[in-house]
């Protein structure tokens, strides 16, 4: 795993320096459906053309898969691969080649790994700078895969917005597989033409692709909800509920599955603008396997929040990927343990029964102390064992302390600030006073942009959510279908200009008319 990460990170970092010249295609290439013996490579061209993927154990490649049809969307499966192995690949269309890219297949057994979770990276009134600022820090983390919690673009029907998304994430997604989540802003395309056409998702038993799915990696199982399984609202269809219940029953009975993570755009708890969804909350907390769920990751509210309900369900709102930020509406919510209105991502590390979630600001610095469960296995016997191990992006060196690789930054930094302890194993993040649960900072903490972190640990009082989200029967929509607009800004409203509104930007004319009607209704509110 260490060598695999080192090879991939080296290729990614080299690629960043030539990003402007390395995007010969409209979108991609990007990676999907990561497995132990296969992966899907996707890319799109500006005109109908041929396509092929050349791949192998080094940049000489040696194997080729060819798209049998010409078109603008190319989606090729590479099969017969070896587990836990790094491969190089490039895509070729009409004689134009992508740069050399890499990916690593999933492990066949119980191996340690790391992944990143973030979302709501759509623009803020046309400004993509906060989304752009996150990508270099995520690349340095060198994750095995990315989970996006949804709202990747502002208006899902617009081609130009998807173009921008893939332009920003080009260097990340050509080397790191993406598992997407369907958000309400992707739903601003009633027929889901763009989302369904862009992403390659796992097929269900009836050989159909849906916007909810699941996947396995190492000793973990992930279930991705479609929390917007209705036109503009939070809803779980009966088919989706049956699917999730069946999957959970199966994986919970599998002794090789030690961790279960749930992901949905609209989560069960949030003390911010939208609040938690009672539909999602009632369904999840009614599951027989509730005590087997490690965390629920969600977005929708543009903020960071760590929460824990009195039912034992725990999770994170991670909607700080680029959209305009939301303030906390219910600071007294008993489930809310830590809240920060800032841009961020989550680094999640897994090794055996040990899980560590490290929230990071967009520059990679700690947002709050990492939250750990389980027992971390030994990483090293000497500093030499730490060679190639991920570490903070600062000059420094490794030491091996208590069988853990500890990266120590040099004593001074260019800005004169203190060295950043970051996510190094076995030590608390700088300035973090450990709270009662072993992970909390003791009180508000100011960040460079003036945002404030609020530590809200207190005994749970059984709150189910914000007052405006009363419990409802599972399977019924529980929010205003067009309620996704911030209280003080208009960044959530579909862009009326600067969005490339030529006819080519609407792949589905009927969907465009329905969208326009919804948009007019929304503007009248």
């Amino acid at each position: 795993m260490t060598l695999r990460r080192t090879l991939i990170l080296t290729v990614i970092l080299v690629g960043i320096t030539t990003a402007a010249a390395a995007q010969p295609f409209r979108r991609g290439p990007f990676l999907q459906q990561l497995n132990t013996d296969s992966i899907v490579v996707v890319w799109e061209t500006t005109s109908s053309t041929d396509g092929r993927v050349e791949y192998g154990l080094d940049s000489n490649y040696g194997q080729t898969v060819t798209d049998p049809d010409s078109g603008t969307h190319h989606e090729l499966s590479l099969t017969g691969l070896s587990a836990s192995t790094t491969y190089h690949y490039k895509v070729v269309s009409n004689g134009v080649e992508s740069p050399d890219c890499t990916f690593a297949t999933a492990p066949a057994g119980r191996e340690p790994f790391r992944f990143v979770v973030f979302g709501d990276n759509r623009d803020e009134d046309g400004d993509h700078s906060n989304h752009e600022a996150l990508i270099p820090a995520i690349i340095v983390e060198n994750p095995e895969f990315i989970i996006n919690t949804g709202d990747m673009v502002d208006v899902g029907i617009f081609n130009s917005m998807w173009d921008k998304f893939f332009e920003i994430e080009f260097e990340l997604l050509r080397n790191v597989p993406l598992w997407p989540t369907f958000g309400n802003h992707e739903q601003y395309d009633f027929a889901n033409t763009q989302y369904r056409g862009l992403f390659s998702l796992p097929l269900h038993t009836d050989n159909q692709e849906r916007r909810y799915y699941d996947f396995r990696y190492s000793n973990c199982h992930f279930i991705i909800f479609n929390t917007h399984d209705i036109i503009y609202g939070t809803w779980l269809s009966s088919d989706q509920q049956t699917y999730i219940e069946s999957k959970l029953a199966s994986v919970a009975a599998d002794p090789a599955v030690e961790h279960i993570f749930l992901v949905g755009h609209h989560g069960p708890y949030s003390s911010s603008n939208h609040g938690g969804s009672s539909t999602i909350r009632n369904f999840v907390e009614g599951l027989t396997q509730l005590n087997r769920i490690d965390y629920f990751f969600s977005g929708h509210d543009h903020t960071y929040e760590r929460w824990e309900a009195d039912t034992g369900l725990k999770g994170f709102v991670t909607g700080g990927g680029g959209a305009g930020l939301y303030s906390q509406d219910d600071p007294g919510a008993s489930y809310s343990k830590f809240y920060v209105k800032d841009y961020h991502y989550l680094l999640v590390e897994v090794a055996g029964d040990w899980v560590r979630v490290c929230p990071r600001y967009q520059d990679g610095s700690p947002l709050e102390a990492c939250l750990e469960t389980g027992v971390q296995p030994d990483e090293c016997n000497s500093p030499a064992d730490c060679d190639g191990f991920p570490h903070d992006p600062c000059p420094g060196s490794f030491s091996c302390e208590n069988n853990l690789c500890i990266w120590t930054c040099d004593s001074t930094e260019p800005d004169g600030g203190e060295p950043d302890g970051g996510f190094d194993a076995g030590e608390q993040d700088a300035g973090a006073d450990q709270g009662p649960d072993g992970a909390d900072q003791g009180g508000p903490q100011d960040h460079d942009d003036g945002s404030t972190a609020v530590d809200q640990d207190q005994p749970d009082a059984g709150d189910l959510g914000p007052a405006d989200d009363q419990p409802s029967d599972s399977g019924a929509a529980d929010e205003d279908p067009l309620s996704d607009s911030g209280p003080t800004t208009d960044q959530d409203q579909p862009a009326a200009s600067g969005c490339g509104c030529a006819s080519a930007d609407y792949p589905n004319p009927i969907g465009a008319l329905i969208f326009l009607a919804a948009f007019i209704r929304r503007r009248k509110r």
Side-chain angles (χ1 to χ4, degrees):
M1 292 290 287
T2 298
L3 177 59
R4 193 151 54 107
R5 284 193 187 137
T6 303
L7 288 172
I8 293 176
L9 184 58
T10 300
V11 171
I12 293 175
L13 292 177
V14 169
I16 291 176
T17 62
T18 59
Q23 299 185 52
F25 307 115
R26 180 172 187 174
R27 298 166 182 166
F30 60 99
L31 300 162
Q32 300 234 257
Q33 296 201 49
L34 172 65
N35 212 321
T36 56
D37 60 356
S38 64
I39 199 165
V40 176
V41 180
V42 185
W43 75 101
E44 294 196 341
T45 51
T46 55
S47 60
S48 182
T49 185
D50 61 329
R52 71 177 186 271
V53 178
E54 299 180 18
Y55 66 101
L57 297 177
D58 55 36
S59 57
N60 292 319
Y61 311 116
Q63 300 184 72
T64 301
V65 175
T66 301
D67 193 339
D69 301 312
S70 292
T72 58
H73 180 83
H74 306 272
E75 187 175 306
L76 293 177
S77 296
L78 312 185
T79 60
L81 308 177
S82 299
S84 300
T85 302
T86 297
Y87 287 86
H88 289 249
Y89 79 96
K90 67 178 178 181
V91 302
V92 184
S93 284
N94 197 29
V96 178
E97 300 182 353
S98 74
D100 179 58
C101 310
T102 61
F103 64 85
T105 49
R110 186 179 186 250
E111 290 189 22
F113 69 99
R114 52 175 41 201
F115 61 97
V116 163
V117 186
F118 77 116
D120 290 276
N121 44 255
R122 60 186 180 82
D123 64 282
E124 180 182 2
D125 294 331
D127 179 9
H128 297 272
S129 60
N130 287 301
H131 179 197
E132 292 169 339
L134 280 169
I135 303 306
I138 293 174
I139 287 174
V140 170
E141 302 288 10
N142 204 16
E144 265 76 20
F145 56 85
I146 300 291
I147 293 177
N148 191 301
T149 58
D151 279 7
M152 291 169 276
V153 297
D154 193 22
V155 184
I157 200 171
F158 289 157
N159 268 312
S160 57
M161 293 186 178
W162 286 108
D163 289 345
K164 188 64 177 179
F165 170 83
F166 284 103
E167 175 190 331
I168 292 171
E169 300 208 0
F170 172 73
E171 286 296 343
L172 175 64
L173 299 184
R174 71 185 180 97
N175 298 293
V176 183
L178 169 66
W179 295 101
T181 307
F182 189 78
N184 59 298
H185 279 258
E186 279 76 55
Q187 204 175 38
Y188 292 155
D189 170 9
F190 284 88
N192 308 140
T193 308
Q194 295 279 36
Y195 190 88
R196 289 180 182 275
L198 270 172
F199 297 113
S200 176
L201 304 177
L203 296 178
H204 289 239
T205 54
D206 60 0
N207 208 37
Q208 295 297 309
E209 185 179 283
R210 293 183 175 85
R211 291 163 295 173
Y212 55 89
Y213 59 94
D214 68 292
F215 68 94
R216 172 81 172 269
Y217 193 98
S218 185
N219 60 338
C220 301
H221 207 90
F222 299 80
I223 299 178
I224 312 296
F225 285 45
N226 172 18
T227 60
H228 298 276
D229 208 358
I230 189 176
I231 295 178
Y232 292 130
T234 298
W235 176 277
L236 295 177
S237 67
S238 59
D239 285 348
Q240 183 177 179
Q241 292 181 47
T242 300
Y243 173 84
I244 293 170
E245 290 167 344
S246 175
K247 283 295 178 181
L248 268 176
S250 175
V251 300
D254 185 348
V257 177
E258 297 179 74
H259 305 288
I260 298 173
F261 300 101
L262 306 184
V263 183
H265 181 63
H266 196 175
Y269 288 93
S270 169
S271 62
S272 189
N273 181 42
H274 296 296
S277 164
S278 58
T279 292
I280 307 304
R281 180 167 60 248
N282 292 343
F283 174 71
V284 173
E285 293 187 332
L287 292 168
T288 304
Q289 301 82 12
L290 177 64
N291 65 340
R292 286 294 315 276
I293 299 168
D294 288 64
Y295 296 114
F296 194 112
F297 298 111
S298 65
H300 204 36
D301 276 326
H302 308 163
T303 191
Y304 167 79
E305 184 168 25
R306 174 169 54 83
W307 54 265
E308 180 175 354
D310 61 346
T311 59
L313 183 64
K314 302 176 183 178
F316 297 83
V317 178
T318 175
L325 296 170
Y326 292 165
S327 297
Q328 188 173 28
D329 286 1
D330 187 9
S334 63
Y335 55 80
S336 182
K337 304 304 179 184
F338 199 86
Y339 187 103
V340 178
K341 178 185 174 182
D342 211 327
Y343 300 105
H344 70 280
Y345 61 90
L346 304 182
L347 170 67
V348 186
E349 299 172 284
V350 179
D353 72 342
W354 175 78
V355 176
R356 177 166 60 187
V357 182
C358 295
R360 304 277 192 226
Y361 287 114
Q362 63 187 163
D363 63 359
S365 62
L367 185 151
E368 71 160 321
C370 301
L371 184 70
E372 298 189 33
T373 59
V375 179
Q376 185 178 21
D378 291 348
E379 294 176 341
C380 59
N381 293 309
S382 70
D385 297 332
C386 302
D387 184 33
F389 215 79
H391 60 76
D392 285 329
C394 63
S397 61
F398 274 115
S399 60
C400 183
E401 302 174 18
N402 298 319
N403 300 111
L404 300 178
C405 292
I406 306 298
W407 180 263
T408 302
C409 297
D410 292 342
S411 57
T412 59
E413 293 188 338
D415 61 2
E418 291 297 322
D420 174 18
F423 61 81
D424 297 326
E427 63 182 12
Q428 291 293 325
D429 291 321
D433 296 325
Q434 193 168 1
D437 67 358
D440 303 319
Q441 295 176 348
Q445 174 186 341
D446 293 332
H447 195 50
D448 293 341
D449 67 353
S451 63
T452 301
V454 182
D455 185 347
Q456 301 167 145
D457 272 334
Q458 51 185 299
D460 286 335
D463 289 14
L464 283 179
D468 62 349
D469 182 22
Q470 298 299 323
S472 61
D473 293 335
S474 180
D478 67 357
E479 71 168 26
D480 183 342
L482 293 174
S483 65
D484 189 29
S485 57
T488 59
T489 69
D490 63 357
Q491 82 273 357
D492 284 13
Q493 298 182 7
S497 62
C499 56
C501 300
S503 59
D505 228 17
Y506 293 93
N508 184 342
I510 296 176
L513 291 174
I514 298 173
F515 163 77
L516 181 60
F519 174 50
I520 293 171
R521 175 190 171 198
R522 179 179 174 138
R523 296 288 290 190
K524 288 180 177 179
R525 286 176 176 259

